[in-house]
Amino acid sequence: MPNLTKLNIMRTLSEAEFKNQFPFFGEAYDPLDPTGNITIKWDIISWTPDGYVAVVTIFNFQQFRHIQAPGWSLEWTWEKKEIIWSMMGGQTTEQGDCSKFKGNVPHCCKKTPTVVDLLPGTPYNQQVANCCKGELSAHGLKIQPMQQVPSSLALVQLELVMKHPKSPQLPSPGQKNSLTPLVQCSSHMCPIKINWHVKLNDKDYWRVKITITNLNYRMNYTQWNLVVQHPNFDHLTQAFSAKYKSLAPHSTTNDTAMLWGIKSYDDVLMQAGRSGNVQLELLFRKDKAPTFTSQKGWAFPRRIYFNGDNCIMPSPDAYPMVA
């Protein structure tokens, strides 16, 4: 029986780029989410004379990273000549060579099967009962981060019937995405643009307006989230048009916040166009010590993540002065 396996996934950089830029971090480690991981649990439910029935459950224990469209994928390698006789809750991308079987044909005979999410509209008799949680259906599923889903709930479940059972070996983590961006022309050619505007600066308070613009014509972002690092989050008074949660990864100071949209109001960032933006505002209180300054870009964020992707920040010399 396979052991429970945890996979930490970083999707912003390739593995080589990540190790080159952050050689002091472990593989797929994020200091803003030090315990974040994807956990895959393989449970053998029952044994048959020549195989077994297993339920594979995927949990997303990352605080602010989704598995985006076109959905999750899972791949492993069998030790010998195992096959998948039938499956619910997902489907393999290829059947493989099942020519030696006559009559009833297995679902998949590949030594390294790749299992992907079901398409929207899949009949209920092809889905796993009582799956999935977090206001999601079992077809067309996106794995949510734990900002809104209790950690005790499964987010994906597969039910498989195997022949000639052996423990699978799970490969290194990764994500396959077949959606090629079609992005508006701009100087940066990035699919997401984030504008941080200091709109109020008075004696006791200062206020920021954040505009997130989608420049991708082929993709919207359901249940988007933004992670922002700034030293003044200890004095955040109110967040408008967004929900707020302090991440405080080092627990000594509150300098990191996660923001996400309000359900049925602005939790969907639509494709590029007239409706392809969301706006939110943050109101900060100034402390008694002279911390706030208009110099050297202090009023602007140190780092921003959009849906877990690290945004490219301008150089300190490019920050404008705050009046």
Side-chain angles (χ1 to χ4, degrees), residues 300-319:
F300 296 93
R302 308 301 185 263
R303 184 182 297 179
I304 290 182
Y305 289 81
F306 177 80
N307 275 10
D309 288 338
N310 193 0
C311 298
I312 299 174
M313 305 295 293
S315 64
D317 295 339
Y319 287 116

Side-chain angles (χ1 to χ4, degrees), residues 42 52 76-84 108-113 160-169:
W42 185 286
Y52 63 87
W76 63 84
T77 300
W78 297 114
E79 289 185 354
K80 295 186 178 178
K81 297 182 179 180
E82 298 85 354
I83 60 170
I84 301 174
C108 180
C109 299
K110 287 185 67 66
K111 183 176 181 61
T112 303
L160 305 93
V161 178
M162 259 70 63
K163 301 291 185 180
H164 309 297
K166 293 290 181 181
S167 298
Q169 297 175 347

